[in-house]
Amino acid sequence: MQRPNTNNSTNAEQPIESLFIDECLPSNCVDAVTNLMSYHPTYLDIYRTTQNFILRGDGPLPCDYRHYIAIMAAGRHQCSYLINMQKQEFLMQGGNQLWLKGLDYIPQKLRDLYEINKILAHRPWMLNKSHIEKLTKAQDSWSLAEVIHALVLLAHFHSLASFVFGSGINDEPRYFDNPNLTSGEPVLTLNPPPHSSKQKQDTQKLDNKAFKVESPVAMSPTEPEVGVDTLMERMKSLSERSEEVSAEEYTKRFEHVESQSAELSASISQNTPMIKADLSHFVDDPKFAYVDFAHRGVPTFRVQDYSWDDHGYSLVNGLYSEVGNLLDEKFKTTANLTYNTMGGRRDVDTTVFRRAIWNYCQCMYGIRHDDYDYGEVNQLVERSLKAFIKTACCFPERLTKRNCDKVMREFLHSEKIHVNLMILEARMQAELMYALRAMMHYTT
């Protein structure tokens, strides 16, 4: 299936204020996710369009089901911020308040989805056609279009939880500081969008997108990081390199990065927060979690055999019209997003760094890009950033605001948000690739 041509220049010229108006809640507040994503208005535009479509646009699932599926997905990572936001939306769509008492009170059809929710959130490589078959042949069966819709919602909110924790949003109590709200409505402080003309500060125009003049994030008294200047030298060297690498060597370098990722577990906080009483009823089997490569005993997922571009895109679009187009544009917008800056330096080609972040995220899930040299990951992604990425992808509930502040300390705040966007989208694409491969095996 041919993709339509997408041109982001039109989206980039859309006033950022109009995006904020579209995202306003009934309480006349802009949610914190939108507020942070507004550092990157081109991305915010396609993110907003996609989320609005899967939650409120034409589709096979009723609106109350959509928001409850979002609650179920956010519950796997104990994401209070998203759960409270979606509880509010669920009630606004006429959802049955009894369902908010927990999983024991929802229709069996929704309950049947929970196993896939759990697997997709933590061990997506376990998903197979039998899980799809159970849904489509259950007493209250799911259509294939409904399954696709649900899979997209689950992957969207699992990965959005990574962004929420990775950006420190869930660690901010001011978002939930009104005890009088019984619906879980978040109370948010609306800051002017970083690119708004209302802000009285100088701006530069980079690639036809507004870019806020910032100072680097304050340094923290922790272990030293590789500086931005050194990172830029490495990026330049890799961009100019013309080394020929054999297929066997590519495989060895991928496996080396995999094994290093498993070793990182020792440096990642093992303190999974206790599930709060007001969240526990949305979580079943809370001990089911991510397992490192060395312990899972499954073959690598090779993009050469099943990819989003060649397989997933057309399958989604065939069963849930237009969603494939939106997701494809969102993935490409994120992967290609650049202002050619790093830590305040201008005219920097960040292509190899962005590709290393994306591919390392998907490496967490055993996904290998055959034409990529994973040796670049070890040169460009230092240990502290690897630990942050792994935690954000696999255990986001373990991240705190302090963790977020300790990494990428020479980056601008907008650049740290940019890295979190790449984590969000790379994880979502990884989940969908496993889910859609299972769907393909079921339908063929």
Side-chain angles (χ1 to χ4, degrees), residues 217-232:
V217 177
M219 295 286 285
S220 301
T222 56
E223 70 281 355
E225 288 186 331
V226 172
V228 167
D229 290 332
T230 301
L231 182 57
M232 287 172 56

Side-chain angles (χ1 to χ4, degrees), residues 63-115:
C63 287
D64 56 344
Y65 269 51
R66 302 181 197 194
H67 294 292
Y68 202 89
I69 290 170
I71 292 171
M72 290 166 58
R76 288 311 309 176
H77 290 306
Q78 306 173 39
C79 189
S80 303
Y81 174 84
L82 290 178
I83 290 174
N84 284 319
M85 187 75 75
Q86 291 305 309
K87 282 166 66 176
Q88 176 190 0
E89 295 268 5
F90 173 79
L91 293 174
M92 286 171 52
Q93 294 297 331
N96 187 339
Q97 193 153 4
L98 187 65
W99 297 8
L100 297 182
K101 294 179 68 174
L103 300 174
D104 293 337
Y105 296 86
I106 62 177
Q108 186 60 42
K109 182 171 182 174
L110 271 176
R111 196 69 177 83
D112 290 341
L113 182 66
Y114 197 83
E115 183 73 7

Side-chain angles (χ1 to χ4, degrees), residues 131-400:
H131 296 106
I132 308 298
E133 185 176 23
K134 285 180 183 178
L135 286 184
T136 60
K137 296 189 176 179
Q139 184 173 0
D140 193 358
S141 63
W142 292 67
S143 69
L144 290 180
E146 288 175 328
V147 174
I148 286 286
H149 195 170
L151 291 173
V152 170
L153 285 165
L154 291 173
H156 178 84
F157 281 95
H158 293 155
S159 55
L160 190 54
S162 289
F163 180 85
V164 167
F165 282 101
S167 303
I169 294 172
N170 206 71
D171 213 22
E172 292 287 348
R174 70 178 180 272
Y175 297 137
F176 314 102
D177 59 4
N178 190 339
N180 298 319
L181 291 174
T182 58
S183 66
E185 180 181 347
V187 179
L188 307 176
T189 302
L190 172 57
N191 297 318
H195 304 280
S196 171
S197 59
K198 297 176 183 177
Q199 285 188 297
K200 303 302 182 182
Q201 56 183 308
D202 295 331
T203 58
Q204 308 170 50
K205 291 293 183 178
L206 298 178
D207 297 335
N208 296 319
K209 292 178 281 287
F211 181 82
K212 178 184 174 185
V213 177
E214 304 174 73
S215 299
V217 177
M219 295 286 285
S220 301
T222 56
E223 70 281 355
E225 288 186 331
V226 172
V228 167
D229 290 332
T230 301
L231 182 57
M232 287 172 56
E233 290 173 7
R234 293 179 182 179
M235 290 191 300
K236 187 173 185 294
S237 174
L238 288 172
S239 298
E240 295 172 348
R241 187 180 62 175
S242 58
E243 175 189 10
E244 289 192 13
V245 181
S246 67
E248 292 79 9
E249 182 62 24
Y250 270 152
T251 300
K252 287 181 182 178
R253 292 180 184 183
F254 172 79
E255 291 172 348
H256 182 57
V257 172
E258 270 194 325
S259 63
Q260 285 182 323
S261 173
E263 294 169 2
L264 272 178
S265 296
S267 64
I268 294 175
S269 171
Q270 301 300 307
N271 297 323
T272 300
M274 292 288 293
I275 300 180
K276 296 177 182 178
D278 61 338
L279 302 183
S280 60
H281 49 286
F282 295 125
V283 184
D284 190 20
D285 193 7
K287 292 184 179 180
F288 187 89
Y290 175 85
V291 175
D292 273 311
F293 307 106
H295 307 295
R296 69 190 192 195
V298 294
T300 297
F301 185 121
R302 299 174 67 219
V303 172
Q304 177 179 311
D305 299 329
Y306 190 94
S307 70
W308 166 258
D309 287 338
D310 296 332
H311 307 91
Y313 166 81
S314 56
L315 178 57
V316 170
N317 248 21
L319 290 169
Y320 185 13
S321 182
E322 293 304 317
V323 168
N325 295 335
L326 293 171
L327 292 174
D328 192 61
E329 183 179 352
K330 189 155 67 75
F331 293 148
K332 283 182 166 53
T333 296
T334 311
N336 297 325
L337 184 64
T338 182
Y339 306 95
N340 297 311
T341 64
M342 180 173 278
R345 285 74 162 175
R346 295 172 58 90
D347 301 320
V348 182
D349 183 354
T350 61
T351 302
V352 292
F353 179 70
R354 288 181 283 116
R355 185 169 59 228
I357 296 290
W358 187 282
N359 289 349
Y360 186 65
C361 291
Q362 297 197 337
C363 178
M364 300 297 98
Y365 296 97
I367 294 176
R368 177 188 164 200
H369 296 258
D370 290 341
D371 59 349
Y372 179 68
D373 178 3
Y374 283 83
E376 294 186 6
V377 170
N378 283 338
Q379 295 191 55
L380 299 176
V381 187
E382 60 185 344
R383 184 179 177 86
S384 63
L385 182 51
K386 285 179 181 175
F388 174 81
I389 291 171
K390 181 172 183 178
T391 311
C393 281
C394 309
F395 313 101
E397 62 278 1
R398 296 182 187 177
L399 284 174
T400 65

